[in-house]
Amino acid sequence: MSDAATDGPEEDNRLTRWVNTAITARPWTVVFVFLVITAGFLGAIALSDGEEEAGADQFTEGSDAQEAFDEIQEEFRDEGRDTGGTTAQLFVEDDRNVLSKQSLLRMLTFQDRIETEDRLRVESSTSPASLVAEQIDPEATTAEEQYRTIERTPQRQLEQAIADADETAGLPVSTDFKPESGSASVAQVAITYDTPPNAETSDTADLQFQTQEIANDIDGYETGENVVVFGDAIIEEETLQLLGDTAIVVFPAAVVLIIFFLAVAYRDPIDLMLGLVSLVLTFIWTFGFMTLADIPFSDQLITVFALLLAVGIDFGIHIINRYREERELGKQITESMRITTQQLLIALLIVTLTTVFSLMANLISDVTRDFGIVGTAGIIFTFLIFGIFLPAGKVGFDTLREGTRFPEFGTSPLGNEDSALGRVLTVGVSISKVAPVIFLVAVLALGVGATAYGTGVDTEFDEEAFFPDEDRIEQYESLPGPLQPGEYTFIQVLTYLEEDFEQGFEGSVTIYIDDSELRSDRGLTEIDRALDDPDEAFEADGRQADAESILGVIESHEAADPEFARTVERYDSSGDGIPDRDVDVVYDELFDSPAGDRAQDRLTTDRTGAIVDVQVDVDAEQDEAVAAARALAEDMRLDATATGQLVIFESIIDETTEASVNSLLVAFVLTMVFLVLSYWWLEGRAVYGVLNLVPVLLAVALLAGSMRLFDIPLSPINAPILSVSIGLGVDYTVHFMHRFVDEFEGGKSVQDALGTTVRGTGGALTGSMLTTVSGLGILYVALIPLIMEFGLLLALGVFYAWLSSVLVLPSAIVVWDRISSSEIVPASLARA
């Protein structure tokens, strides 16, 4: 190696001299400073509450759609009752007949117990049993009175009452309900808790779990078999539990794989220990930053730590491998590390800054902002720890064991000329000798094809995206005791909803009407007209959409109260059963009746705001249902807006798609500009920065195509993957290119420089790739599907970045050299 290649440009000396001095002259002082900083971050973590976020709420919270929905909910809470802040459902199953007298009495026993148990704070409950009892005796208002009513009612009269109750109120039973025999297989019991608006999720979940315990104590009910309690608080708790159960299995497996491959890469216990300690310090610093920045840990931020793992492993292996190359040449410890850091710190800094750009591109979206902030801080920490702490520790430990009997283990670099790996890695160089132009054209065609194919990738975001399927749960249950997952109710609930009630997890869309015309003669008529001839995405009851609205409250109370029925008839001039004149009189009587509470759930007390919940067909896609809801709202001749969870989720999908495209473009532009300027400043050749981007673009294209090929939809969890893949690609190409430049500018020919680079740096890249892919690939066994998919994408991104670097970059360099050496391109432009 020539002196120029060894010493590097003068700019490198100025940039790295102070770092080299600290690392080589005072290594233990550097180690001590880093450990003190680590202790400070550990203290911050210990004093924090360890806040976590999981599920869809971490992405919808703070979004415009969610804030609008919350405002609507708050308005109805303020206008209506002050209590009843939380609801839950009890699903009851009986294959014989869930509406038999015995089953109805059992439901009322359950309702009586939860309503009389003060600690549960149950405000009310509704079930098929209570509705049937009210149909028989409207004066029976408590569960105890309703129990006696059902108990003394003859079977024939009970069957008739079941049919009548379904006609007037609509029984919450499965779709296999047979009115003529009064039978069904599944029923729902709705429970309303008197909780304050600011109640903690854990407190609300405790109430719902206690409710489940009461149900389990009732003779004939067995939780998980024929009854299950479900509510929003339980969803949140189980989603967090999924996060914990995933971590218990995935993290140890990842650690084992990473240690194994790092042991193969380092082949020395001291180097292995330094690499692992550096990774741990990186995680501690990043967790500490999150604590100080008040950023809660979430599903999405798991991907940040996977990224830090990938970059950290890469940095560590490159430092150790490059140091070993110099030691094999007979240089002393401090001189070897000086040359290593002098050459690699600039490459690591370029990688760090380009990765920072790809991460900061995510700041343009609320959905990915936390990912961008934490990732940026983490990458900077990774650079400091692996660029300064690890080399200092290496110098310190090698100095300690030099001259002692402490055995030296594997100290040769990966990919040396005589190794099998070294011979395999020269494939890209061999192609560049034979047919570089043809190969690059083929690669370009592949990239264009993968990009075009990848544009058809699906988008997805809803609560169900966080829930694993039953097969994955069963696989986890087969693990040894400590690794087995907790109990989950969402699978059973999803089965009930989809198979027995023919509705999705989010079974409706909400139309919010904010218009004083609701008090006019055409207000109610317009709601009825809008629900006529519904879109195929909606459930239909005849020619009307299956919806809950103020009209439904009026109709049900009309059927139960003859006096109110006469009022409706009096103010219905058209005879269609819908009041169309002096509707305020109808509203006044409705609000003063026993149905007043239900009316306040659908209409504000000033009669200018109303909510209509339209049931979505179970087979309808989310985007179809949301489009139909928006069309319904636009068609309504009132000031109406489509909202609700499905609409919120769809808005997050739209924002995610836009954010992923924008962040990809921003990351690419920033990276290109930075690389061009960096190589122009450092080496006087801006073209080196352009060459870096050739394999990067191929890796991004292949990753986009893989998303569609493996049926992985774009989601808020994996939205940053395309922009981050630019950072990952640059991580590999910069190391390769920087080493090539050192060798080439030192006087070697293009082919000789490529050969040295691919066997030296290529070996480190390969060790880094194998370790990272195995460590991140283990995320594929995660319980949470979104994390599983991101693990696969990140592993593929790292693999494509490595493959395109060692296979494609040599041909790109050779083609550039041929063009710059020909008479086609002026020498001055070639040098640029």
Side-chain angles (χ1 to χ4, degrees):
M1 183 178 295
S2 67
D3 291 338
T6 302
D7 294 337
E10 182 63 25
E11 290 87 347
D12 286 20
N13 287 328
R14 288 199 299 267
L15 286 170
T16 59
R17 186 180 295 116
W18 71 272
V19 176
N20 274 324
T21 301
I23 290 173
T24 57
R26 299 178 178 177
W28 293 116
T29 301
V30 172
V31 170
F32 177 76
V33 170
F34 273 78
L35 293 180
V36 169
I37 297 173
T38 303
F41 279 124
L42 281 173
I45 295 170
L47 295 174
S48 71
D49 296 331
E51 185 179 355
E52 293 180 321
E53 285 185 349
D57 287 348
Q58 63 189 293
F59 302 104
T60 61
E61 187 176 353
S63 68
D64 293 340
Q66 182 67 56
E67 287 179 354
F69 184 68
D70 290 341
E71 288 175 8
I72 293 170
Q73 299 296 329
E74 190 65 33
E75 179 178 353
F76 272 80
R77 184 183 296 117
D78 292 342
E79 289 283 350
R81 295 164 288 173
D82 294 328
T83 57
T86 309
T87 61
Q89 294 79 41
L90 176 78
F91 289 88
V92 183
E93 181 180 10
D94 190 329
D95 292 336
R96 291 174 296 179
N97 183 13
V98 78
L99 297 177
S100 66
K101 177 180 283 191
Q102 182 182 16
S103 182
L104 294 175
L105 293 175
R106 194 178 291 130
M107 287 183 213
L108 291 169
T109 300
F110 166 73
Q111 290 178 254
D112 181 57
R113 291 190 185 178
I114 61 173
E115 290 178 6
T116 55
E117 182 64 61
D118 291 339
R119 63 188 173 92
L120 281 184
R121 305 182 65 178
V122 171
E123 181 193 60
S124 64
S125 62
T126 304
S127 71
S130 61
L131 293 174
V132 170
E134 288 176 6
Q135 183 69 35
I136 298 170
D137 181 7
E139 300 298 322
T141 57
T142 67
E144 185 179 3
E145 293 170 344
Q146 291 167 351
Y147 183 98
R148 290 197 295 268
T149 298
I150 296 291
E151 188 177 34
R152 64 173 178 257
T153 301
Q155 183 62 34
R156 186 175 296 277
Q157 183 183 348
L158 183 62
E159 291 176 1
Q160 184 60 49
I162 291 172
D164 293 341
D166 182 63
E167 184 70 24
T168 58
L171 295 180
V173 291
S174 51
T175 54
D176 61 1
F177 172 62
K178 297 181 176 59
E180 63 278 5
S181 61
S183 64
S185 59
V186 184
Q188 284 189 59
V189 180
I191 306 162
T192 301
Y193 299 91
D194 179 8
T195 55
N198 59 349
E200 294 287 338
T201 299
S202 57
D203 295 335
T204 304
D206 285 341
L207 295 178
Q208 294 173 358
F209 286 129
Q210 290 175 34
T211 303
Q212 185 169 274
E213 291 174 4
I214 289 178
N216 202 46
D217 289 338
I218 294 175
D219 187 33
Y221 282 173
E222 186 175 352
T223 300
E225 294 295 331
N226 64 345
V227 294
V228 58
V229 175
F230 204 63
D232 288 343
I234 291 179
I235 295 175
E236 290 191 38
E237 290 291 306
E238 291 191 354
T239 306
L240 287 173
Q241 183 177 315
L242 279 171
L243 202 58
D245 286 342
T246 294
I248 290 173
V249 174
V250 170
F251 285 0
V255 168
V256 170
L257 284 173
I258 289 168
I259 290 176
F260 171 76
F261 280 99
L262 283 179
V264 172
Y266 288 132
R267 291 156 291 142
D268 181 274
I270 298 296
D271 294 347
L272 176 61
M273 181 270 295
L274 280 172
L276 291 176
V277 168
S278 298
L279 285 174
V280 172
L281 261 59
T282 301
F283 287 177
I284 291 174
W285 283 32
T286 307
F287 267 117
F289 169 79
M290 288 171 56
T291 301
L292 296 174
D294 197 26
I295 297 175
F297 185 68
S298 64
D299 300 308
Q300 189 183 56
L301 295 185
I302 289 178
T303 59
V304 170
F305 290 91
L307 176 63
L308 300 183
L309 184 72
V311 176
I313 288 172
D314 178 67
F315 282 9
I317 290 179
H318 271 89
I319 290 287
I320 299 299
N321 206 63
R322 188 70 186 87
Y323 169 81
R324 288 177 177 179
E325 287 187 57
E326 297 302 324
R327 288 287 283 164
E328 277 208 335
L329 296 176
K331 293 184 175 66
Q332 297 298 311
I333 293 173
T334 55
E335 177 66 8
S336 296
M337 189 56 73
R338 185 189 68 80
I339 295 172
T340 297
T341 54
Q342 185 171 287
Q343 288 189 349
L344 282 185
L345 275 180
I346 298 300
L348 297 186
L349 182 60
I350 293 174
V351 169
T352 298
L353 292 178
T354 51
T355 306
V356 163
F357 290 146
S358 69
L359 289 165
M360 290 183 66
N362 291 284
L363 300 181
I364 62 178
S365 169
D366 291 338
V367 175
T368 56
R369 181 162 295 136
D370 282 354
F371 177 91
I373 294 172
V374 176
T376 298
I379 288 296
I380 293 172
F381 296 154
T382 303
F383 169 74
L384 294 174
I385 291 169
F386 282 88
I388 301 175
F389 170 82
L390 185 141
K394 178 63 174 171
V395 170
F397 278 110
D398 274 11
T399 302
L400 282 178
R401 70 178 174 181
E402 190 174 42
T404 69
R405 293 185 178 181
F406 191 89
E408 288 191 358
F409 296 84
T411 57
S412 61
L414 289 168
N416 60 55
E417 190 170 358
D418 297 328
S419 69
L421 178 60
R423 291 190 292 272
V424 170
L425 288 174
T426 58
V427 170
V429 177
S430 299
I431 294 174
S432 72
K433 293 178 181 178
V434 179
V437 176
I438 295 175
F439 182 65
L440 279 184
V441 171
V443 165
L444 176 63
L446 175 64
V448 171
T451 301
Y453 180 72
T455 57
V457 68
D458 289 333
T459 56
E460 177 184 285
F461 181 60
D462 53 29
E463 286 282 4
E464 292 183 56
F466 292 87
F467 300 152
D469 58 32
E470 198 166 358
D471 290 341
R472 182 53 62 91
I473 291 287
E474 289 177 355
Q475 290 172 1
Y476 265 60
E477 288 175 345
S478 65
L479 295 172
L483 300 179
Q484 288 185 354
E487 294 183 3
Y488 295 100
T489 59
F490 54 77
I491 292 178
Q492 191 172 355
V493 170
L494 284 173
T495 301
Y496 284 142
L497 289 173
E498 294 175 358
E499 297 182 4
D500 298 299
F501 291 86
E502 294 186 356
Q503 67 182 61
F505 193 73
E506 294 292 341
S508 66
V509 291
T510 299
I511 307 298
Y512 174 59
I513 305 169
D514 184 13
D515 199 319
S516 58
E517 287 295 304
L518 285 169
R519 305 182 66 173
S520 71
D521 293 346
R522 70 181 184 90
L524 292 176
T525 303
E526 181 56 29
I527 295 176
D528 182 68
R529 185 202 64 79
L531 295 175
D532 271 338
D533 194 20
D535 190 279
E536 292 181 355
F538 296 141
E539 291 280 1
D541 185 7
R543 289 182 54 82
Q544 277 253 321
D546 186 0
E548 296 181 15
S549 67
I550 188 63
L551 284 175
V553 179
I554 291 173
E555 290 173 3
S556 63
H557 187 54
E558 183 183 3
D561 188 339
E563 184 177 344
F564 181 70
R566 287 191 292 272
T567 300
V568 171
E569 184 178 3
R570 185 180 308 121
Y571 296 103
D572 172 20
S573 60
S574 62
D576 60 0
I578 299 171
D580 53 14
R581 61 186 181 87
D582 294 334
V583 294
D584 270 331
V585 178
V586 179
Y587 291 152
D588 287 340
E589 188 170 331
L590 182 65
F591 277 112
D592 290 338
S593 73
D597 285 347
R598 287 192 294 137
Q600 289 178 14
D601 289 339
R602 296 291 153 193
L603 185 72
T604 56
T605 52
D606 65 358
R607 295 83 185 274
T608 63
I611 286 179
V612 180
D613 288 329
V614 187
Q615 296 300 310
V616 175
D617 188 275
V618 68
D619 295 323
E621 295 294 332
Q622 179 173 295
D623 57 344
E624 296 173 346
V626 171
R630 288 170 175 163
L632 190 156
E634 291 174 4
D635 181 58
M636 195 173 284
R637 296 164 191 164
L638 298 169
D639 189 357
T641 305
T643 184
Q645 290 300 318
L646 285 180
V647 178
I648 293 170
F649 291 153
E650 189 66 18
S651 70
I652 295 299
I653 287 176
D654 294 340
E655 185 176 347
T656 296
T657 303
E658 182 181 0
S660 64
V661 173
N662 290 341
S663 62
L664 176 63
L665 293 175
V666 171
F668 175 73
V669 171
L670 290 176
T671 299
M672 179 179 65
V673 171
F674 177 75
L675 286 175
V676 168
L677 292 177
S678 295
Y679 280 100
W680 172 77
W681 178 61
L682 292 172
E683 307 295 345
R685 292 181 186 264
V687 70
Y688 289 156
V690 177
L691 290 174
N692 263 283
L693 292 172
V694 175
V696 172
L697 291 177
L698 176 63
V700 173
L702 291 175
L703 189 61
S706 297
M707 290 184 69
R708 183 176 178 185
L709 179 65
F710 294 112
D711 195 25
I712 299 176
L714 188 69
S715 70
I717 289 285
N718 62 41
I721 188 63
L722 294 179
S723 62
V724 167
S725 64
I726 291 180
L728 287 174
V730 169
D731 184 10
Y732 282 77
T733 60
V734 163
H735 283 304
F736 191 103
M737 195 71 193
H738 199 76
R739 180 64 181 277
F740 167 79
V741 169
D742 279 341
E743 302 296 336
F744 180 67
E745 296 291 343
K748 290 185 178 181
S749 68
V750 169
Q751 289 296 335
D752 287 344
L754 284 174
T756 302
T757 300
V758 80
R759 285 190 294 270
T761 298
L765 289 175
T766 304
S768 171
M769 180 274 294
L770 292 174
T771 307
T772 306
V773 167
S774 62
L776 298 180
I778 198 66
L779 286 174
Y780 193 70
V781 304
L783 269 175
I784 301 173
L786 292 181
I787 294 178
M788 175 188 75
E789 292 165 355
F790 187 86
L792 175 61
L793 291 177
L794 202 52
L796 284 174
V798 170
F799 175 74
Y800 292 150
W802 167 81
L803 185 65
S804 58
S805 295
V806 299
L807 202 60
V808 178
L809 194 52
S811 290
I813 291 172
V814 169
V815 170
W816 158 76
D817 181 62
R818 290 182 180 180
I819 293 175
S820 65
S821 301
S822 69
E823 297 180 356
I824 300 174
V825 180
S828 60
L829 182 59
R831 285 194 298 271

